[in-house]
Amino acid sequence: MARGMDHFLYRDGVLHAEDVPLPEIAAAVGTPFYVYSTATLLRHFTLFDEALSGTEHLVCYAMKAASNQAILKTLAAAGAGMDVVSGGEYMRAKAAGVPGDKIVFSGVGKTADEIRLALSGGIRQFNVESEPEMEVLNRVAGEVGVRAPITIRVNPDVDAKTHAKIATGKSENKFGIPIARAREVYALAASLPNLDVIGIDVHIGSQLTDLAPFELAYQKVAELTETLRGDGHTIKRLDLGGGLGIPYARNNEAPPLPSDYGALIKRTVGHLGCEIEIEPGRLIAGNAGCMITQVIYVKSGEGRDFLILDGAMNDLIRPAMYEAYHDIVPVLEADAGVEQTPYDIVGPVCESGDTFAKQRMMAPLNAGDLVAFRSAGAYGAVMSSEYNTRPLIPEVLVHGDQYAVIRARPTFDEMINRDTIPEWL
Ligand SMILES: *Cc1c(COP(=O)(O)O)cnc(C)c1O
C-alpha cells in the first residue's frame, strides 16, 4: 500500500477530493478554502489503530493539528480519543461528543481554571509537565473532590532531528521533566493525596522522518518503567506521544509507516504489559487536507515571475514560520510534456515573509487558475489568522460525492462587529 496515500487525485485532468471536483467547490464557496477528505482522515486513524492491534491501546488524535468539530466527530465516531492542550480544545472535544475518559490533557502551562474544567467534566489523564503544575493539580483536585489521574511527561534528552521549532525532546526544550529526575518527581507525586499516578508520558517532537529517535526514547521509557515499578509506583499506561512525519514532497523519501512505528512500540515497550496511548496529529490530518487558492495575478519581476495568489501567510503560515515545503499543484492538470517554468509563489500580505515558494517549477499558469497546496490539513486552518483583515477561510469536508462547508467564511461586518467601541469615542 502506497505511503501517504490520500484521496486527492486527478480524474480526467481535474483534481478531485474523493468524488468531488475541486472547481465545483471553488465555484460554490469561493477561494481560498481548506478542503478535507473524510476517507483519508479515517484511513490514517485506522492505520495507527491497526498498528497497535493486539495490545490494549487508545489512539488519541492530537486535535491541535485540525480541530474543526466535523473532523473531531468523524474521528471520534471511528473510536479515536483526543489529546487536548487547552481548555478550549477540551471544550471542543466534549462538544464533539468525546467522553471525558477518552480525553488526555497535555501541555506545559495548564492553568488552574483549565484543570478545574477538565476535572469537573471528566478526564482520562493529565500529562503533567512540572512540579508546580503537580501542586496546582493536587490542590484543584482536592477542591473539586476527585483524584486526578496523571502521567508525568519525561524529557528523554533525545534529538528528534526535526525543525528546531517543533523539537521537544531535548533537555534544552521547555517540555517535561528531565528523565534523570524522574524518580524524585514520581516520589513527590505519590506523596500528594489527590493525585493518582498511573503512567509515563513522552513526546519528543513533530514531523519525525526517522524511527531511530522514537526507538531511543521508548527504550528509555521502558527502563524507567522498571525503575519506577521497583520504587513501588503503579505504571500501567504509557503515553508515547505523537510526531510521526508525513511526506510533504511527492518525490521525497517516504517517512516510516505507522505499521513500522507500531512494531517499534511493541518491540520496545510491549513486554511491560502497559496500556499504550499514542497522540498522532499531523499524520492523521496532514495529507487529508488541501488549501485551494486562485491566481490573482502573474507578475513579471526583475528576472523572475511571481504568482500572486488569493491565499496568504495568514491562511497557511507553515512556509513562513517553519520554512515548510508544500507541493503546489494546478487543479486543472497541465498537459503532459508542457514545459515548466520557475515562479515565486506569494500571497498578497504586506510582508516579504508572505512567500510560499521560491523558483518553484510549475506548468505555466494564468490569472484565475486554481492551485492546490497539498498536505495542508494539519497545522493549516488552526494556525490561520485575520491578519490584514483577511477573513478566516472556509473549511469544507468531503465525504464520497458529498461535501459540506464545516466553517463558513465570516463576512466583513461579522469581523468588524467583533470589535467594541469604548464609550468615550
Ligand atoms: C503536538 C503534539 C502532538 C502531535 O504531534 P504531531 O506531530 O502532530 O503528531 C502530540 N502530543 C503532544 C503533547 C503534542 O504537543
Side-chain angles (χ1 to χ4, degrees):
M1 180 72 64
R3 175 69 173 78
M5 194 192 93
D6 60 47
H7 295 77
F8 295 95
L9 297 171
Y10 289 104
R11 283 192 204 165
D12 298 327
V14 180
L15 193 62
H16 282 57
E18 301 189 20
D19 299 331
V20 182
L22 289 172
E24 186 183 321
I25 303 178
V29 309
T31 54
F33 62 92
Y34 279 101
V35 56
Y36 306 95
S37 153
T38 298
T40 312
L41 287 167
L42 291 175
R43 175 182 142 79
H44 291 162
F45 169 75
T46 305
L47 285 179
F48 280 111
D49 203 31
E50 287 175 352
L52 293 177
S53 67
T55 51
E56 196 189 346
H57 69 275
L58 183 66
V59 179
C60 294
Y61 169 60
M63 60 180 273
K64 72 177 193 275
S67 59
N68 189 288
Q69 289 289 291
I71 293 175
L72 301 186
K73 270 185 175 284
T74 298
L75 292 169
M82 297 289 155
D83 174 49
V84 308
V85 291
S86 70
E89 284 196 350
Y90 178 84
M91 293 304 284
R92 271 191 179 277
K94 290 300 286 276
V98 182
D101 64 8
K102 287 179 109 173
I103 304 175
V104 168
F105 204 142
S106 298
V108 70
K110 306 174 196 78
T111 66
D113 283 346
E114 289 175 320
I115 288 170
R116 188 171 291 108
L117 187 71
L119 281 173
S120 310
I123 191 80
R124 180 177 181 81
Q125 101 229 2
F126 292 90
N127 294 332
V128 174
E129 300 225 11
S130 68
E131 287 140 298
E133 180 194 339
M134 202 180 278
E135 308 269 3
V136 171
L137 186 55
N138 180 58
R139 172 172 61 76
V140 177
E143 288 164 11
V144 177
V146 295
R147 288 190 83 204
I150 69 158
T151 71
I152 296 174
R153 177 167 176 183
V154 294
N155 185 325
D157 196 20
V158 163
D159 185 352
K161 299 198 171 64
T162 183
H163 190 280
K165 284 184 187 166
I166 51 177
T168 59
K170 280 291 281 175
S171 55
E172 70 254 30
N173 300 131
K174 69 182 176 185
F175 300 97
I177 57 140
I179 198 160
R181 289 193 49 236
R183 292 178 77 180
E184 190 188 323
V185 179
Y186 272 85
L188 171 67
S191 75
L192 296 174
N194 304 316
L195 301 187
D196 185 14
V197 179
I198 58 169
I200 305 174
D201 171 47
V202 68
H203 171 73
I204 56 174
S206 197
Q207 186 53 17
L208 274 73
T209 51
D210 180 5
L211 288 179
F214 287 117
E215 177 128 27
L216 272 177
Y218 297 169
Q219 278 164 355
K220 291 189 179 196
V221 167
E223 280 166 35
L224 181 63
T225 302
E226 313 261 23
T227 307
L228 293 175
R229 283 177 172 168
D231 289 348
H233 300 287
T234 302
I235 304 296
K236 59 184 181 193
R237 185 180 292 165
L238 300 178
D239 182 333
L240 300 175
L244 199 58
I246 63 171
Y248 278 97
R250 299 244 118 184
N251 44 7
N252 267 13
E253 203 182 314
L257 296 160
S259 54
D260 296 336
Y261 176 66
L264 161 68
I265 289 174
K266 290 176 185 171
R267 187 163 76 239
T268 49
V269 300
H271 59 288
L272 297 164
C274 289
E275 180 185 5
I276 302 299
E277 273 167 15
I278 53 171
E279 305 169 342
R282 188 188 306 273
L283 203 148
I284 289 180
N287 284 327
C290 289
M291 180 175 78
I292 312 301
T293 78
Q294 190 174 147
V295 178
I296 312 175
Y297 299 114
V298 182
K299 174 175 166 177
S300 298
E302 199 74 42
R304 58 182 65 211
D305 290 338
F306 294 94
L307 277 186
I308 303 177
L309 306 180
D310 62 0
M313 64 187 288
N314 67 297
D315 306 311
L316 178 66
I317 203 169
R318 298 190 66 263
M321 189 149 151
Y322 311 116
E323 292 115 32
Y325 179 98
H326 285 269
D327 268 345
I328 304 171
V329 299
V331 167
L332 298 185
E333 197 171 22
D335 293 332
V338 161
E339 198 172 332
Q340 300 209 326
T341 168
Y343 288 113
D344 281 13
I345 304 178
V346 303
V349 163
C350 309
E351 297 205 18
S352 299
D354 188 20
T355 298
F356 291 117
K358 287 200 163 143
Q359 297 297 289
R360 180 72 63 88
M361 297 304 290
M362 304 275 290
L365 285 160
N366 296 301
D369 288 348
L370 297 173
V371 297
F373 283 66
R374 303 189 62 106
S375 312
Y379 307 105
V382 285
M383 293 182 89
S384 59
S385 77
E386 289 181 347
Y387 186 41
N388 282 209
T389 306
R390 294 167 48 83
L392 285 185
I393 69 178
E395 293 180 285
V396 174
L397 183 63
V398 171
H399 179 45
D401 61 1
Q402 310 174 64
Y403 73 89
V405 174
I406 58 174
R407 186 181 72 195
R409 193 189 314 273
T411 65
F412 292 137
D413 278 346
E414 282 165 348
M415 295 166 71
I416 295 165
N417 290 336
R418 268 188 246 130
D419 299 355
T420 51
I421 307 296
E423 61 185 18
W424 66 80
L425 284 177

